[in-house]
Amino acid sequence: MTPDELERARHRKLAKIAELGFDPWGQRFDDHLPIREVRELPVPEEGQIGTKVRVAGRIVLKRDQGRVVFLQLRDWTGQVQVFIGKKQVGDTGWALAEALDLGDLLGVDGHFGKTKTGELTVFAQSLTFLAKSLLPPPEKWHGLTDVEQRSRQRYVDLFSNPESLQTFLGRSRVVAAMRRVLADRGFVEVETPTMQAIAGGAAARPFITHHNTLDIDLYLRIAPELYLKRLLVGGMERVFELGRVYRNEGLSRKHNPEFTMLEAYQAYGDYHSMMDLTEALIVGSIEAIDGRFHRPWGESTVDFTPPWPRKSYADLLQEVAGVDIHDDAAIRERAKAAGLDPTRKDHDVVVSELFEEVVEDSLTGPIFVIDYPASICPLTKRKAGDPSVAERFELFVRGMELANAYTELNDPVLQDNLFHKQLAGQKADESMAKVDDDFVRALKHAMPPAGGLGVGIDRLCMLLLDRPNIRDVVLFPLLRPE
RNA sequence: GCCCUCCUAGCUCAAUUGGCAGAGCAGCUGACUCUUAAUCAGCGGGUUGUAGGUUCGAGUCCUACGGGGGGCACCA
């Protein structure tokens, strides 16, 4: 049967449903019980009548059995069997039952109980038609498997693949948990510009857009960092923003051009405060999902039981790459051995490339890597007594960078210098050091010493929900238009 | 941007060395008042991603294009 004929068959059913006096597109339907709660009701004794219930959902299976029809009805909490008997629902109800298709939305009033074979069931007394599905749903057993279609037609993926729905509901719990943890600690949520004249706060190529009335180009933000720190100057002592940032880079399993970032800033804190906060946020997220600290990740398991180890960048470089971070010749030699080209590059740039090439993939984590080379951290405060080291950490799990935090640089003179400094071997348009004079002016009004944190929500969800691809945790990932 | 690879019915998948395009689900018709991916009988459904080429003959081989996936590069 061609798609056209399949749709026509459903149009005929729609007409029949209308003829029976039902609205094929449904009406308000109050007080239905989530199916998960229905399934938890007491099952009546033999011969007893069960609790009266009202449910609503999508028909995902239909077993026609003469003068009885069994349905599986699914809502976003679960699935339950519905028993429709010709005698029990009357002529009109039965005529409706015969016109039902897989994918239709149906309301059922009936009694909860068990069939002879022990299946939890709603025994229908009356049916309410809620909406006609004009397109056939995917295969009832395999669901939708085509990766492209699952992303493009997420609506189909969600109703036909329960594990996909669970992933996105899990993501919502993670986000809600983070807001709760932050609110409990006195943070306030703010909204700062996503269209910015200077795309600062990170190193990435931005998207460009245009405002007609002002006739100026603007950038979609690559980070909210510099605006949130302005709020610290303004006296908002604990702020966070949970929102989308945009980076005009390639797509991969770990990269979508727009992704969700949490940034939080705490006046009078430092990067150690942020490590504590990071643990609290992720612990809160895990508790919101299922409370399991040993979490599956593909074939392996990640142990998120806190506290997580904290190791210095220099120590890890020594341990894994076998070189002293201060030994320039050894670093360059080791970089060459790793297939990198260290010529005409600043020492710290080579160190950074070597670290990424050799150390990062070995970090199974969770592990806080702390104390980064200062010159690659232009927004970070230097360690007291050692200006070559920046008070920064990154949280790694399974080779993925999940969080990045600093003791924030609040010295306006040093900040201004760093904005204008360009390290050899760093690309200009990709440097973090974009001059932002207003930001320097803000710092001149005194920003409190503070800790700041960024968390990649999508990647965190990948790890917590055991999904190997960022596309699996982004509802509508970027795809080439059809 | 580069390399590899995939695209067959609405969905899930077959098709030997280049030799008649198939099955299950879904759909349609019929049987069945306790089924469990219900079952049973019957019927329909295809420009094999698109356009060319090689060949007596192409789902299969070649070229280009489109879309997807994996990897590289990019992402400090």
Side-chain angles (χ1 to χ4, degrees):
Chain A
M1 223 174 213
T2 65
D4 226 35
E5 288 167 324
L6 289 170
E7 193 169 337
R8 270 203 296 279
R10 283 169 177 258
H11 271 287
R12 285 196 296 276
K13 301 269 191 70
L14 184 151
K16 191 176 164 197
I17 289 163
E19 267 172 46
L20 291 168
F22 294 95
D23 182 343
W25 302 111
Q27 295 292 334
R28 174 170 169 170
F29 191 66
D30 287 331
D31 302 326
H32 72 280
L33 212 55
I35 286 173
R36 185 190 293 128
E37 291 177 30
V38 170
R39 297 183 67 94
E40 284 160 4
L41 292 171
V43 176
E45 300 293 315
E46 288 246 2
Q48 299 293 107
I49 258 187
T51 316
K52 202 165 173 7
V53 294
R54 161 172 274 199
V55 292
R58 190 179 291 272
I59 299 168
V60 294
L61 285 176
K62 185 168 180 249
R63 293 185 285 273
D64 215 317
Q65 178 78 45
R67 285 165 197 89
V68 174
V69 171
F70 292 94
L71 303 179
Q72 284 288 336
L73 202 67
R74 180 184 291 168
D75 73 7
W76 68 340
T77 69
Q79 195 171 305
V80 73
Q81 177 167 267
V82 173
F83 177 102
I84 305 173
K86 184 173 183 183
K87 216 157 54 181
Q88 290 84 342
V89 295
D91 290 346
T92 311
W94 184 248
L96 175 63
E98 287 188 308
L100 295 175
D101 280 317
L102 293 183
D104 288 352
L105 301 182
L106 185 71
V108 179
D109 287 282
H111 294 283
F112 178 66
K114 254 185 188 174
T115 60
K116 279 180 195 169
T117 50
E119 180 79 19
L120 298 181
T121 300
V122 175
F123 293 89
Q125 288 185 301
S126 72
L127 306 178
T128 306
F129 196 77
L130 293 174
K132 184 68 201 162
S133 167
L134 292 174
L135 294 174
E139 218 259 359
K140 65 184 180 185
W141 187 242
H142 299 92
L144 197 60
T145 61
D146 183 75
V147 176
E148 178 185 1
Q149 282 202 61
R150 291 182 60 182
S151 295
R152 276 194 203 282
Q153 302 185 34
R154 184 66 82 191
Y155 38 91
V156 177
D157 177 45
L158 286 169
F159 75 66
S160 61
N161 297 355
E163 69 284 359
S164 178
L165 175 62
Q166 288 314 309
T167 297
F168 288 106
L169 293 178
R171 178 176 175 139
S172 284
R173 281 193 213 104
V174 167
V175 170
M178 296 202 149
R179 289 202 159 95
R180 212 177 307 127
V181 167
L182 287 159
D184 286 349
R185 291 173 175 236
F187 284 80
V188 297
E189 183 166 7
V190 296
E191 293 163 284
T192 65
T194 57
M195 296 190 294
Q196 305 178 348
I198 300 164
R205 277 147 61 199
F207 287 92
I208 301 171
T209 186
H210 187 81
H211 186 267
N212 289 341
T213 303
L214 294 182
D215 192 24
I216 49 168
D217 281 343
L218 291 167
Y219 301 102
L220 297 188
R221 70 176 173 192
I222 58 174
E225 170 140 356
L226 300 185
Y227 282 96
L228 293 172
K229 288 200 240 185
R230 284 171 169 95
L231 299 179
L232 289 179
V233 174
M236 299 184 79
E237 294 184 15
R238 295 187 179 203
V239 291
F240 77 94
E241 181 159 10
L242 185 53
R244 222 62 77 82
V245 297
Y246 308 84
R247 297 186 182 178
N248 205 341
E249 310 281 359
L251 295 87
S252 84
R253 238 176 49 227
K254 297 189 227 173
H255 299 88
N256 194 58
E258 54 176 313
F259 61 100
T260 302
M261 186 139 94
L262 166 71
E263 284 202 11
Y265 292 83
Q266 179 178 333
Y268 312 116
D270 67 2
Y271 71 145
H272 285 104
S273 332
M274 292 300 104
M275 280 185 248
D276 299 339
L277 179 61
T278 304
E279 278 183 355
L281 287 166
I282 294 177
V283 165
S285 299
I286 289 170
E287 284 167 348
I289 299 169
D290 58 18
R292 294 188 188 154
F293 285 86
H294 290 82
R295 307 199 65 79
W297 175 245
E299 303 295 297
S300 64
T301 303
V302 183
D303 181 3
F304 281 96
T305 312
W308 305 325
R310 305 175 179 192
K311 280 195 176 179
S312 85
Y313 192 92
D315 287 351
L316 281 165
L317 202 64
Q318 182 72 63
E319 250 175 61
V320 180
V323 283
D324 180 346
I325 195 167
H326 299 298
D327 185 342
D328 188 59
I331 290 283
R332 284 171 198 280
E333 209 44 50
R334 185 69 184 80
K336 274 186 213 157
L340 301 165
D341 176 16
T343 47
R344 284 195 302 279
K345 283 176 186 167
D346 196 275
H347 173 75
D348 283 345
V349 172
V350 179
V351 166
S352 163
E353 287 179 1
L354 182 61
F355 189 90
E356 279 165 34
E357 182 67 26
V358 176
V359 183
E360 281 189 5
D361 286 347
S362 76
L363 302 174
T364 56
I367 180 173
F368 289 112
V369 178
I370 66 172
D371 294 342
Y372 279 64
S375 55
I376 58 168
C377 308
L379 299 165
T380 311
K381 187 179 286 237
R382 277 60 183 125
K383 217 173 176 60
D386 187 355
S388 75
V389 172
E391 293 196 349
R392 169 186 185 179
F393 78 76
E394 290 193 342
L395 173 64
F396 282 92
V397 184
R398 288 295 181 273
M400 268 203 286
E401 177 196 335
L402 274 197
N404 181 16
Y406 317 137
T407 301
E408 301 298 338
L409 178 61
N410 64 341
D411 173 345
V413 176
L414 179 55
Q415 183 67 83
D416 195 38
N417 283 342
L418 293 176
F419 271 159
H420 287 91
K421 192 167 164 188
Q422 184 63 46
L423 289 189
Q426 262 190 336
K427 288 170 196 141
D429 63 332
E430 283 158 22
S431 164
M432 239 167 118
K434 294 195 186 77
V435 180
D436 186 336
D437 290 327
D438 176 70
F439 178 66
V440 173
R441 176 168 59 194
L443 294 185
K444 285 179 178 171
H445 283 287
M447 184 178 96
L453 167 69
V455 181
I457 300 298
D458 311 85
R459 288 179 178 181
L460 176 62
C461 287
M462 287 169 65
L463 277 159
L464 295 185
L465 300 167
D466 190 21
R467 307 308 301 234
N469 198 309
I470 196 167
R471 238 185 3 237
D472 300 330
V473 299
V474 173
L475 279 167
F476 299 101
L478 184 68
L479 295 170
R480 216 177 279 275
E482 278 183 278

